[in-house]
Structure formats: structure tokens, C-alpha cells
Amino acid sequence: MSRDDDAGFDVDASKFKRFSQRDDIYCRSFWDPTVHSAKSDVFYETYRKPLKHFRGVDGFTQNDYSVRNASWYVSDIFAERFAQDDRREGFLDEFSVFRGAAEDQRDVPSAFAMSNEIKRVAKAFGADLVGVTAFDPRWVYTHKYSAETKEEKPNELPEGLHNVIVIATSMDHDLIQTVPSALSGTATGLGYARDTVTVLSLGQYIRNLGFRAVESLNDTALAVPYAIQAGLGEYGRHGIIITKEFGPRVRLGKIFTDLPLDHDRPRRFGVKEFCDQCNRCADACPAKAIPHGEPSDQVYNRSNLVGVKKWSVDAEKCFGFWVGQNSDCSICIRVCPYNKDFSKWWNRLGQWLAGTWMRKLMLRLDVALGFGARRAASWWWAGGSKN
Ligand code: SF4
Ligand code: SF4
């Protein structure tokens, strides 16, 4: 079986084009008049000025915006510290190296043992999931985006970084249940903060062993295909990775390195087959941005990857909804039947059954039992599921 078959990828090499980060919807919202608007400026401003744009509606109060914005504080510090040099680290640019590498390389007796060691350290540093895969140039951005010029700028990933470590941190289940709300964006901000701490610490550990490491969040390369190849989960209809442990409730980070490491294999547990039957995200999406039907190579706009047969989201519609409600949205994550607390054995059993011929029954049960329903933000403030 080829690596793409193993991962469930359907790439047409004759049509495939690598992606330029300038075409990412968030970058387009700054340079492309079809996406940028006065309202999108206000949308970003709400992440900086919670006192100015709150509403008197549950989930969108000053308190809700204040906690959401505070959750972004750590990753904002790193994103903004070299803004004067046209760098937005973690989002448009890889992280700068603050402290150099050891002069001598540690002896690595086996790639297998080193992989186990890296996973142990990554988890100690905060990762919930860790996988390793081979460098794949298809997922690396052709160019980065310059916030200063609003044009492309070179993506100069050093040669010889043959391995990619992918980490995932989980997002809070209770917070996600309050989507749509500004409060729920706290789960996203916290995910980025935890990813930042984890990739920076792990990258420095690798340098302390005398090897090279380039730490990255949303910058430099597409994270989802690397995460799937590294065995973290499967691709869902909503365009998000679905993990066994946390469903779609994860944020991803990655490290490019020359440290000798064993590679993980993609893990399939019936997500594609379940998504074929389930359309909850597509039905629930207020912007109608998620497709029904079979995966296809349809391209809605320049923010889609060309030459890959998959479920592709219309990012223009999605972002338009975010701007309209003045906060990011994760309704597709909230309603997904894989969005459960899998520390509970009955949810793990349900997931296992969802991967069998009983998937239709599990889907009906999921709806009947009210999974994926919205909780008020006031429920979270009152203690949420810990009550
Ligand atoms: S984030 Fe919201 S608007 Fe965007 S695809 Fe998901 S449900 Fe639709
Ligand atoms: S909501 Fe259903 S169709 Fe959408 S990603 Fe989750 S399982 Fe797949």
C-alpha cells in the first residue's frame, strides 16, 4: 500500500499545486478586497479591544471576550515580538531560535528508541498526542505571506530536515459546547498557547542534543496532512483532523528536524466511512461552507488546495460567518459525533461501534441522546460539567 493510500489521500499528481500562504483565508482578509472589509477589521480588533465590541448577549459579554482574548495572550506575545521585522511567528513565520544548539551531537543508537524518547519528552512538555512522519514537500507552502507588503515572501526551510514531529493539544470540551460564543474561542487561544510552549521546549531539547529543529504552528506548511501521515487521526468532512482520543477538538504544532527518528503510520478507525453517512457538520454550518456528498476535487476559491480529492470547505463563506458574529466559530466541531469526552469508557465503546457496521445506529443514537447540543455560556461560568 502506498503512503497516500495508507493515509487516505487522493492526490492527482498531474493537477496538484502546492499552496501559497498568501491564499490562506486569514491572509486574504488583509489583502483581498473580496474578503477584506471594514467589518473584518472590527473582527480582528475585538481580539485586542474587548472593552469596545462586546454585546449584552450570553456568550458575547465583556467577560466572555475578556477571557477569550486573555487566552490568546501567550501566542500573541510570540506573534508580535518581531513584528517590526515583518515576522509573525507561529502564524506566518517559523519561530526564531533564541538559544543555539549543543556543539556535539548526542549518539543516537536507534531511530526507534529516539522516537520513543521524543514522545515522552513532548508529552512532559504538554503535548496530548505526538507522531512522527517523513518530510513531504507537497505540504510545505511555496511562499510565506508578508504582513508588511501584503505579498509573498520566501519560505526558506533549511535543507536536510527529513523528519517532522507533529504534536496535538486538546481543546476544552466544556468551552466548545458553548459555540457559538466569544467565550468558546478561549479553547482555541489556549490550544495555541499550549502548542507554543510545547513546540518551543521540544525544539530546544532537540538543539540541546546537537541536532537542528524548526518549530512551527500555522506557518511554513499545512499541518493537517502532516498530522494524518504522522498517525494522529483521520480527515473529516469538516476539513479538520479527527483523532481517536479527542475527536476534532485539537490544535496542531510541528517541528522539522534532522534528528534520526522512526516514522509512525497513519491510523484509520472508520472516520471516512462514518462521515459518508453523517452530515451533521454540513447541516449545522450556518454559512453552508461544508459540502454534502462524496469527496471531490472541487475548488470553491483560491483558498482551496488544488489537485486533491477530499471534502473541501468554502473558507470565504466560513470566514464571512466569523466576521458577521464578531468571533471565531467551531459549530462543526461542537456537533461532530467524534467530539466527546473519551476518558469515559462508554464514549470509547460508542466510537468503536461507530467504526463498524453499526455506524448508522450510532449516528441515530447520538442525535437522540442530544450530543452536540449547545450549552449557554452562563452554564460554563457556573461551573459547566464539573458542577
Ligand atoms: S467554523 Fe462555523 S462557519 Fe466555519 S465551517 Fe465550521 S460551522 Fe461552518
Ligand atoms: S459531523 Fe459527521 S460528517 Fe462531519 S466530520 Fe463529524 S462525523 Fe464527519
Side-chain angles (χ1 to χ4, degrees):
M1 196 186 256
S2 75
R3 190 170 60 170
D4 277 5
D5 290 341
D6 218 10
F9 295 164
D10 192 345
V11 182
D12 183 338
S14 66
K15 292 186 189 158
F16 178 78
K17 287 192 186 129
R18 280 170 58 204
F19 195 73
S20 168
Q21 197 177 15
R22 189 169 182 264
D23 289 334
D24 176 271
I25 195 70
Y26 308 110
C27 299
R28 289 177 64 205
S29 69
F30 291 99
W31 68 263
D32 185 342
T34 62
V35 182
H36 174 258
S37 65
K39 282 185 87 173
S40 66
D41 287 340
V42 172
F43 165 79
Y44 286 116
E45 201 183 65
T46 67
Y47 284 83
R48 301 281 179 279
K49 296 181 179 170
L51 300 179
K52 206 171 159 190
H53 296 287
F54 66 91
R55 311 201 292 269
V57 181
D58 184 90
F60 294 90
T61 64
Q62 180 182 346
N63 224 14
D64 296 312
Y65 278 107
S66 295
V67 70
R68 182 199 71 175
N69 293 8
S71 75
W72 280 88
Y73 187 57
V74 170
S75 60
D76 280 350
I77 289 174
F78 286 92
E80 292 168 16
R81 66 183 174 153
F82 297 126
Q84 73 280 3
D85 301 326
D86 192 21
R87 293 183 67 77
R88 203 173 152 70
E89 297 192 352
F91 295 92
L92 301 180
D93 299 278
E94 70 285 3
F95 288 100
S96 297
V97 175
F98 174 67
R99 193 168 286 153
E103 282 178 17
D104 298 322
Q105 281 187 349
R106 194 197 98 172
D107 184 38
V108 176
S110 89
F112 175 75
M114 196 68 240
S115 274
N116 285 339
E117 192 175 307
I118 275 291
K119 288 176 185 177
R120 180 161 176 73
V121 173
K123 290 197 172 173
F125 286 156
D128 289 312
L129 304 173
V130 196
V132 182
T133 187
F135 178 78
D136 188 330
R138 293 176 300 178
W139 316 130
V140 177
Y141 296 140
T142 57
H143 297 86
K144 298 194 289 189
Y145 172 68
S146 160
E148 197 172 284
T149 65
K150 298 186 170 33
E151 296 295 337
E152 292 177 333
K153 65 180 183 183
N155 189 13
E156 289 163 337
L157 197 56
E159 293 287 318
L161 304 180
H162 298 304
N163 293 321
V164 185
I165 304 163
V166 188
I167 62 119
T169 53
S170 59
M171 294 197 286
D172 186 273
H173 189 244
D174 278 10
L175 284 166
I176 290 293
Q177 287 193 75
T178 72
V179 177
S181 68
L183 174 70
S184 64
T186 308
T188 311
L190 275 176
Y192 281 122
R194 291 179 57 207
D195 279 350
T196 301
V197 170
T198 304
V199 295
L200 287 177
S201 307
L202 191 60
Q204 189 56 36
Y205 169 64
I206 293 168
R207 281 190 290 278
N208 291 347
L209 299 178
F211 293 87
R212 292 181 293 156
V214 173
E215 301 100 318
S216 161
L217 298 183
N218 289 0
D219 56 278
T220 309
L222 298 167
V224 171
Y226 271 124
I228 293 170
Q229 285 178 344
L232 265 51
E234 274 193 68
Y235 188 78
R237 181 184 292 279
H238 44 29
I240 302 167
I241 189 168
I242 295 182
T243 66
K244 248 185 159 174
E245 295 80 359
F246 307 100
R249 239 175 37 256
V250 290
R251 311 291 328 171
L252 302 171
K254 52 202 179 301
I255 298 177
F256 300 89
T257 183
D258 57 359
L259 182 68
L261 293 168
D262 232 21
H263 298 160
D264 292 289
R265 297 219 17 212
R267 276 196 303 176
R268 307 284 288 274
F269 52 101
V271 170
K272 161 75 175 63
E273 296 73 13
F274 192 83
C275 287
D276 281 339
Q277 305 287 334
C278 170
N279 280 291
R280 284 185 82 181
C281 53
D283 292 339
C285 174
K288 302 285 167 242
I290 301 173
H292 291 82
E294 282 293 303
S296 80
D297 58 4
Q298 186 177 354
V299 169
Y300 300 104
N301 52 63
R302 60 190 303 156
S303 291
N304 291 123
L305 195 57
V306 174
V308 183
K309 201 168 168 189
K310 64 188 185 72
W311 287 301
S312 293
V313 169
D314 185 335
E316 288 184 8
K317 287 183 179 172
C318 171
F319 184 72
F321 179 75
W322 292 25
V323 168
Q325 72 157 3
N326 253 348
S327 192
D328 53 294
C329 161
S330 302
I331 291 174
C332 47
I333 295 179
R334 189 196 82 212
V335 302
C336 181
Y338 286 100
N339 170 31
K340 292 212 167 57
D341 176 358
F342 290 115
S343 66
K344 306 213 164 31
W345 68 265
W346 52 90
N347 285 334
R348 290 199 299 278
L349 176 66
Q351 185 192 83
W352 179 75
L353 291 170
T356 69
W357 58 272
M358 292 180 76
R359 58 182 64 89
K360 269 191 178 165
L361 172 67
M362 295 314 296
L363 184 53
R364 276 205 294 273
L365 264 179
D366 202 76
V367 176
L369 294 174
F371 282 108
R374 180 180 187 257
R375 299 279 201 157
S378 50
W379 166 81
W380 185 84
W381 284 107
S385 64
K386 277 88 193 165
N387 248 346

